[in-house]
Amino acid sequence: MGIGATAGVAAAGGFALSANASGKSAAKSSDALVFDKDGYTELTTTITDADGHDKEVVYHFWKAITYVTNPVDEKYQSLKVSVPVKIDGKAVDATDAPIVFANSVGGYMPSSVADATGVGGGMTGAPTGGASGSATPSASASSSSGTGEVQSGGNAMLNGQGEMVNLGKLGLAAGYVVVEPGARGRTLTDSDGNYYGTAPAAIVDLKAAVRYVRANKGVIPGDTDRIVSTGTSAGGALSSLLGASGDSRVYDSYLKELGAAEASDAIFATGAWCPITDLEHADGAYEWNWGTNVTQSTGKAVDQAVSKELRSQFAEYQASLRLRGLNGFGPLTARNYDEYMVKQYLEPSATKYLTDLSDSDRASYLAANTFITWSGGRATFSWADFLTHVGARKKTTPAFDAFDLSTGENNEFGKDKTQARHFTAYSLKNDTTGATGKRLESDIPEKLNLMNPMYHLKEHNPSRSKHWWIRLGTKDSDTSLTISANLAAAVADLGDDVNHLYYWDEGHGSNIDPADFITWIAKVTGYKKRATK
């Protein structure tokens, strides 16, 4: 019987468990993964909701629940649960409320809730800023030292005023149940120097956490069939992957080894902000998008010969996807993607931005940005002028699989005592570190599939999420703008509901429409209003 075939069972237990990374075998226990419904602390907090109103929220809080029976590291393989019981003095019944499953992964780094003392806080580590005004770094913007440092990111976003946005808190203030899982990450090493948080550890952990929640249907508060995942940057990639790979059996051996609950790991809806994903094709996509722009660190254009070769790889990959653009655009290719981006996303984004400004502010902005033609309440411009407007790119080339193995993504594919490895044949061929071998290591292709939502969408996974909310800033050069556009096109081609747009002039980690997202959750889940009594 496949692990993913028994959605909604009461609890896991009674099946054989393998040894964990330390060689210790976990004992069988029929109730090890049963949620303790009475094990909460009642807390009161004031939350500024998605509409900017302060709300007093009384909620029940469960801290640091280990979600597998055979954890490699409980510090990371645990989750916390927050359930509203009273908002502004009115009792709330969250029995059937949607569950916001908010991961806080940033940079594919470890994420822990072990010391959390309430909703939306207590994460070890802190988000880092960047030249783009980012709240969350991409993996390649982070240190790849094997120190076990923790990066909080998936819930750390910035609104249009530079203020932090925490979707866990906003979900709680809306009357939703909030589950915040920890997960292993790429920098974790054991006492022997072995890396135990590299791919596919993070997605396996998040799937195990979803299984824990769904295995406790009827015990844990909330509608376990209406789980809505959220995440930003690498956390956005993992949220996308959760949505695309629901109940895929390619993870079964990993989940069994951890002693994950025998339940479904499919989620209902996916929220992904600036997802750093499709890693094996990200270098080509990045060069197609930003190849002619200078880099922030040097002020010079990157090696154009390398950039050209990578752009050629993108063209081949894009053709192989056989995607069609939204709104009847037709086949998406490297030759017409610039037109698609401008018409489908960038001009509408700029138009909304300018429309929302006062007359005087709009006039000032247009005077400072003469590449935009403003006529009839609509902004128009060329792709080339847009690239000039964005200016410097954040990353060198290759942006993800660096020739010198220096990126966080190289670390993400580390193994055993090897901190970083190549995951594309092109970068291996051009390696500058003296790495031996002419072929990628044999486990890399499988791990790339395990980490890429596009793989599962190409397979038409029937248990994927059918509702998608995808966002990216137009000035986000942590990745290519085509990455999320391809993701949106892929799910739309499968007939799924997709809500995808770009934030004008925003950088990495932005979330300027959180109120709309909170409303969207209610809409797609059918949870029309908070139940009060």
Side-chain angles (χ1 to χ4, degrees):
M1 178 179 65
I3 292 179
T6 55
V9 296
F15 54 93
L17 301 175
S18 61
N20 63 18
S22 302
K24 298 178 182 179
S25 180
K28 298 178 182 178
S29 174
S30 61
D31 60 357
L33 296 180
V34 174
F35 181 75
D36 180 6
K37 63 181 181 181
D38 298 319
Y40 62 83
T41 300
E42 186 169 290
L43 302 175
T44 301
T45 188
T46 298
I47 298 174
T48 302
D49 70 10
D51 294 316
H53 303 124
D54 287 344
K55 291 185 177 295
E56 183 183 76
V57 181
V58 179
Y59 66 104
H60 291 169
F61 176 71
W62 287 259
K63 64 179 182 179
I65 303 168
T66 303
Y67 50 70
V68 290
T69 60
N70 194 29
V72 176
D73 193 330
E74 288 181 283
K75 179 178 180 180
Y76 305 100
Q77 294 170 304
S78 60
L79 57 80
K80 56 178 178 173
V81 179
S82 301
V83 180
V85 294
K86 190 180 293 185
I87 299 177
D88 284 343
K90 295 182 179 180
V92 175
D93 180 4
T95 303
D96 298 317
I99 297 174
V100 177
F101 188 84
N103 85 68
S104 289
V105 175
Y108 288 103
M109 302 282 275
S111 174
S112 174
V113 300
D115 300 321
T117 57
V119 66
M123 300 298 298
T124 309
T128 61
S132 63
S134 66
T136 310
S138 68
S140 55
S142 306
S143 167
S144 58
S145 61
T147 60
E149 60 183 304
V150 184
Q151 183 68 42
S152 172
N155 270 333
M157 296 180 269
L158 295 174
N159 64 16
Q161 290 73 49
E163 300 166 335
M164 300 305 295
V165 175
N166 187 290
L167 292 176
K169 289 184 176 181
L170 297 184
L172 192 70
Y176 306 154
V177 173
V178 179
V179 174
E180 296 168 282
R184 289 169 293 164
R186 61 182 171 84
T187 57
L188 295 174
T189 56
D190 63 20
S191 58
D192 294 324
N194 292 298
Y195 286 84
Y196 64 90
T198 54
I203 185 59
V204 172
D205 286 353
L206 293 182
K207 280 179 167 289
V210 171
R211 288 188 174 201
Y212 174 88
V213 173
R214 298 201 66 168
N216 282 282
K217 181 181 179 70
V219 182
I220 193 170
D223 185 346
T224 57
D225 293 326
R226 295 292 185 271
I227 296 174
V228 182
S229 175
T230 73
T232 302
S233 193
L238 292 168
S239 184
S240 301
L241 188 52
L242 274 179
S245 69
D247 291 341
S248 173
R249 300 195 64 176
V250 298
Y251 302 91
D252 281 1
S253 61
Y254 297 94
L255 290 161
K256 184 175 182 179
E257 185 175 14
L258 292 178
E262 289 194 4
S264 171
D265 54 60
I267 61 171
F268 183 80
T270 300
W273 287 259
C274 48
I276 303 294
T277 192
D278 201 1
L279 297 177
E280 63 267 42
H281 306 109
D283 287 329
Y286 196 91
E287 293 311 310
W288 177 90
N289 196 150
W290 309 114
T292 60
N293 289 38
V294 301
T295 56
Q296 290 179 3
S297 59
T298 66
K300 299 178 181 180
V302 297
D303 186 322
Q304 287 301 297
V306 172
S307 183
K308 182 178 179 180
E309 289 180 332
L310 289 170
R311 290 197 298 270
S312 178
Q313 291 178 21
F314 170 77
E316 293 180 8
Y317 172 61
Q318 191 63 42
S320 74
L321 289 175
R322 300 179 183 274
L323 294 176
R324 301 182 69 84
L326 276 60
N327 297 322
F329 181 83
L332 286 176
T333 69
R335 289 188 176 185
N336 66 16
Y337 220 129
D338 54 351
E339 176 189 356
Y340 177 67
M341 287 301 307
V342 170
K343 300 303 180 185
Q344 174 65 30
Y345 294 115
L346 299 179
E347 288 180 345
S349 176
T351 297
K352 183 181 186 306
Y353 174 83
L354 288 165
T355 300
D356 290 344
L357 294 179
S358 67
D359 291 345
S360 59
D361 286 345
R362 186 184 312 113
S364 296
Y365 186 90
L366 290 169
N369 295 277
T370 56
F371 74 96
I372 297 176
T373 297
W374 180 254
S375 177
R378 181 171 175 265
T380 58
F381 46 83
S382 71
W383 173 253
D385 284 342
F386 166 74
L387 292 180
T388 300
H389 172 66
V390 173
R393 52 187 269 172
K394 187 169 185 179
K395 300 179 179 180
T396 57
T397 193
F400 295 89
D401 189 355
F403 293 157
D404 62 359
L405 293 171
S406 61
T407 72
E409 287 80 11
N410 290 129
N411 180 209
E412 172 66 3
F413 290 97
K415 181 184 179 184
D416 299 330
K417 290 183 173 64
T418 301
Q419 179 183 4
R421 294 189 296 167
H422 289 298
F423 52 90
T424 66
Y426 180 78
S427 288
L428 176 61
K429 177 183 176 181
N430 292 281
D431 173 81
T432 60
T433 69
T436 59
K438 295 183 179 180
R439 293 185 178 180
L440 293 173
E441 294 190 41
S442 59
D443 64 310
I444 290 292
E446 178 197 17
K447 287 184 176 176
L448 288 170
N449 290 342
L450 291 168
M451 296 302 295
N452 195 341
M454 298 299 287
Y455 166 78
H456 300 278
L457 296 174
K458 187 175 180 180
E459 295 293 313
H460 294 195
N461 176 29
S463 296
R464 68 186 181 278
S465 166
K466 303 303 192 299
H467 303 277
W468 298 77
W469 177 280
I470 307 170
R471 295 292 189 268
L472 187 69
T474 62
K475 283 193 170 182
D476 185 349
S477 64
D478 277 53
T479 189
S480 169
L481 301 183
T482 65
I483 295 295
S484 64
N486 271 349
L487 180 63
V491 296
D493 280 357
L494 293 174
D496 298 344
D497 165 45
V498 58
N499 188 316
H500 181 216
L501 59 79
Y502 290 71
Y503 302 134
W504 185 253
D505 275 358
E506 291 291 330
H508 196 62
S510 295
N511 181 358
I512 65 173
D513 57 353
D516 292 341
F517 177 68
I518 296 300
T519 300
W520 180 81
I521 291 176
K523 177 183 177 182
V524 299
T525 62
Y527 194 73
K528 300 300 183 183
K529 60 182 179 180
R530 186 173 71 238
T532 59
K533 60 182 180 180

